[in-house]
Amino acid sequence: MPKSRNTFSSWLRRLAQRAVHAGWAWAQRTGSVTAEHPGRFRFGAMGTGTRLAFPLGTVFGEPWIHLGAHCIIGEQVTLTAGLMPGLELGPAPILRLGDGVVLGRGSHVIADTTVTIGSDCYFGPYVYVTSTNHSYDDPHEPIGRQWPRMDPVEIGPGCWIGTGAVILPGARIGRNVVVAAGAVVRGTVPDHAVVAGAPARVVRRWTPADGWQPPLRTPAPVPIPEGVTPEQLRALATLDAECVKDAEDAGDAEEATVLKDLKEPVRLVELEPES
């Protein structure tokens, strides 16, 4: 026998749910960290437009953390400089992010010695970057009690680091490198390469002489032409093959070509919401 629905209780639940969501949205806005509203944090440098989303992960050693402009630090991202809070680390920055860096939710950047991330690097969620590794030289001493090994990490500008990737101490990653999801990177990675696996190895690379080797299997995406407005994109999103065929049948080859060129990137674009 179905239970009778209590309309009043259902209404109260909806009201409480809206209040919780509104309160959480307010907490996220208020708790985020920016150069204008740093809260208790005193970063060595924080550029214009940079924001650390709330809730934050573990953050310490801020005087030795330099953040460039227009960086996006996702929720629960850990940024640390030094082995523990309260250490004096000298005059130079330990962790440095360039302009336009994006760190995905739950990522960790652990800089016990120098970690440098170049401009316009994009990290997926749960990426782990560390300049420290445990040592196990003494077989009689617990590994956690042995002094760790430290080696600087450098990630060049323009890289894409996939979800769950691990960047180990001593890694030197070049410019515009793709690190596949789940890859474990150590050593040197050349510019314009794609690496995958554990340990990561180069699976594709671009050079001026040979282009991409092995060759890319899919065509390059078609960029949206300059000057196209969000309203036009919304209209184009409703186009189908029949619209293109109608333009071809009407003898307007130029319009048909434009429609074909525009239709492909529209599928890939997250359209702006209606104002």
Side-chain angles (χ1 to χ4, degrees):
M1 192 103 184
K3 294 181 179 180
S4 61
R5 185 174 180 181
N6 188 324
T7 304
F8 183 69
S9 296
S10 177
W11 178 80
L12 281 178
R13 181 180 178 84
R14 288 197 299 269
L15 186 63
Q17 186 181 52
R18 290 182 181 179
V20 168
H21 289 174
W24 181 246
W26 175 86
Q28 288 180 304
R29 292 192 301 271
T30 306
S32 62
V33 175
T34 64
E36 295 77 18
H37 302 285
R40 66 177 179 84
F41 298 101
R42 296 295 180 265
F43 288 98
M46 178 181 277
T48 303
T50 289
R51 179 179 295 268
L52 283 73
F54 180 86
L56 283 70
T58 301
V59 179
F60 63 76
E62 310 95 272
W64 294 274
I65 299 176
H66 287 210
L67 307 176
H70 304 291
C71 295
I72 300 174
I73 314 298
E75 295 178 13
Q76 299 289 355
V77 169
T78 288
L79 299 174
T80 65
L83 282 169
M84 62 188 69
L87 297 179
E88 174 57 49
L89 303 176
I94 302 296
L95 171 55
R96 186 191 297 271
L97 273 61
D99 296 337
V101 171
V102 176
L103 301 182
R105 168 196 285 269
S107 293
H108 287 59
V109 184
I110 310 299
D112 295 333
T113 188
T114 307
V115 172
T116 303
I117 299 174
S119 296
D120 299 312
C121 283
Y122 289 75
F123 286 43
Y126 307 108
V127 173
Y128 191 88
V129 180
T130 180
S131 61
T132 301
N133 214 345
H134 294 294
S135 59
Y136 50 87
D137 302 68
D138 187 344
H140 306 295
E141 185 73 14
I143 292 172
R145 294 186 178 183
Q146 298 188 44
W147 191 254
R149 287 185 169 85
M150 300 181 188
D151 205 351
V153 171
E154 184 175 348
I155 300 174
C159 291
W160 179 277
I161 313 296
T163 301
V166 177
I167 313 299
L168 293 175
R172 304 288 191 278
I173 299 176
R175 172 186 296 271
N176 281 30
V177 169
V178 174
V179 176
V184 179
V185 181
R186 58 183 299 179
T188 300
V189 178
D191 294 346
H192 308 295
V194 180
V195 297
R201 61 183 183 86
V202 176
V203 296
R204 179 173 277 121
R205 188 181 178 192
W206 181 90
T207 62
D210 301 322
W212 284 106
Q213 295 298 328
L216 298 174
R217 291 175 291 184
T218 56
V222 179
I224 297 173
E226 188 175 350
V228 175
T229 67
E231 291 73 21
Q232 291 172 320
L233 288 176
R234 291 190 187 95
L236 287 168
T238 64
L239 291 177
D240 54 25
E242 190 174 337
C243 296
V244 179
K245 186 175 184 305
D246 289 344
E248 291 174 337
D249 292 343
D252 195 338
E254 182 177 353
E255 181 181 355
T257 300
V258 170
L259 291 176
K260 287 178 181 177
D261 289 345
L262 288 176
K263 182 62 179 171
E264 180 60 27
V266 164
R267 287 199 294 267
L268 305 177
V269 171
E270 181 179 355
L271 299 179
E272 296 180 8
E274 295 282 0
S275 56

